[in-house]
Amino acid sequence: MKYLEPHMLEFPQNGDERGHLVVVEGEQDIPFDIKRIFYIYGSDETVVRGQHANCKTQFVLINVAGRCKVKVCDGKGNEAVFLLNKPHTGIYLPSMVWKEMYDFSHDSVLLCLASEHYDPGEYIREYDEYLRIVNEGDK
Ligand code: TYD
C-alpha cells in the first residue's frame, strides 16, 4: 500500500444562489474506497477525542459544521496540527498515525469517512504501545 502523509484536501463547492453542494466520491476525491461513515457532534472545547492509531484504517475527516483541530503525530517526533473549519475541506489520515481531535466548537459536526469496516481490534489505544510498534523496525 502506498503510504501517504496526513494532508488537507479541498473539495469543489458547487455553489449557486441556492447554496452549496459538496460531493466527495470514493477513490476520486477521497483516496480510498469508503466503507464506513460516522459523525461526531455534541463535543465542546473541553473534550479530546481520538487518542488512538489504526493499524489498517485510513480516514478523511470533514467538519461539515463548526470547527475542531486535529493533532497528528507519527511516533518518531513529527507532529502537526490541522484546523478543520470549512465544510469543503478535510484532512486525510493514513493508517498508523496517532490522532487527537480537540477544541471542538459547540456546533461542530465532524464527518469521518473510513476505508474499513469497524474492527475494534485494529485500534491501538495505548500511546506507549503505539510508540513501541512504530519504532520497533528502527532497532
Ligand atoms: P471512539 O473510537 O472512542 O471515538 P473517538 O475516536 O471519537 O474517540 O468510539 C466511541 C464509541 O463508538 C466506542 O464505544 C466504539 C464505538 N464505535 C463503533 O461502534 N463503530 C465505529 O465505527 C466507531 C468509530 C466507534
Side-chain angles (χ1 to χ4, degrees):
M1 189 182 68
K2 196 173 147 216
Y3 181 82
L4 291 167
E5 299 286 329
H7 60 272
M8 293 297 293
L9 301 170
E10 184 157 352
F11 312 115
Q13 301 184 79
N14 299 293
D16 58 30
E17 65 285 353
R18 299 169 299 165
H20 296 286
L21 187 155
V22 175
V23 186
V24 292
E25 297 207 32
E27 294 183 317
Q28 294 179 22
D29 313 282
I30 304 296
F32 51 78
D33 187 21
I34 301 162
K35 292 212 181 117
R36 178 165 51 115
I37 295 174
F38 55 96
Y39 42 94
I40 294 168
Y41 58 96
S43 301
D44 64 25
E45 68 284 347
T46 66
V47 168
V48 181
R49 301 200 60 124
Q51 297 184 300
H52 47 58
N54 292 75
C55 293
K56 200 166 168 215
T57 306
Q58 307 165 67
F59 295 94
V60 168
L61 310 185
I62 303 167
N63 254 108
V64 293
R67 49 162 273 164
C68 81
K69 288 180 188 152
V70 184
K71 185 158 95 176
V72 194
C73 69
D74 67 358
K76 299 176 186 235
N78 300 305
E79 195 173 287
V81 173
F82 297 85
L83 174 64
L84 296 179
N85 64 352
K86 296 185 187 83
H88 67 288
T89 63
I91 179 176
Y92 168 76
L93 298 173
S95 59
M96 286 310 284
V97 293
W98 189 265
K99 54 200 168 303
E100 296 183 357
M101 295 84 85
Y102 63 103
D103 209 5
F104 292 90
S105 59
H106 288 256
D107 60 347
S108 171
V109 181
L110 180 61
L111 179 68
C112 305
L113 313 176
S115 66
E116 309 298 329
H117 293 295
Y118 184 57
D119 172 9
E122 64 111 18
Y123 279 70
I124 305 167
R125 293 185 179 270
E126 298 296 329
Y127 191 61
D128 287 349
E129 184 192 356
Y130 169 70
L131 288 180
R132 186 176 52 71
I133 292 169
V134 292
N135 290 296
E136 69 188 2
D138 299 343
K139 286 184 191 140

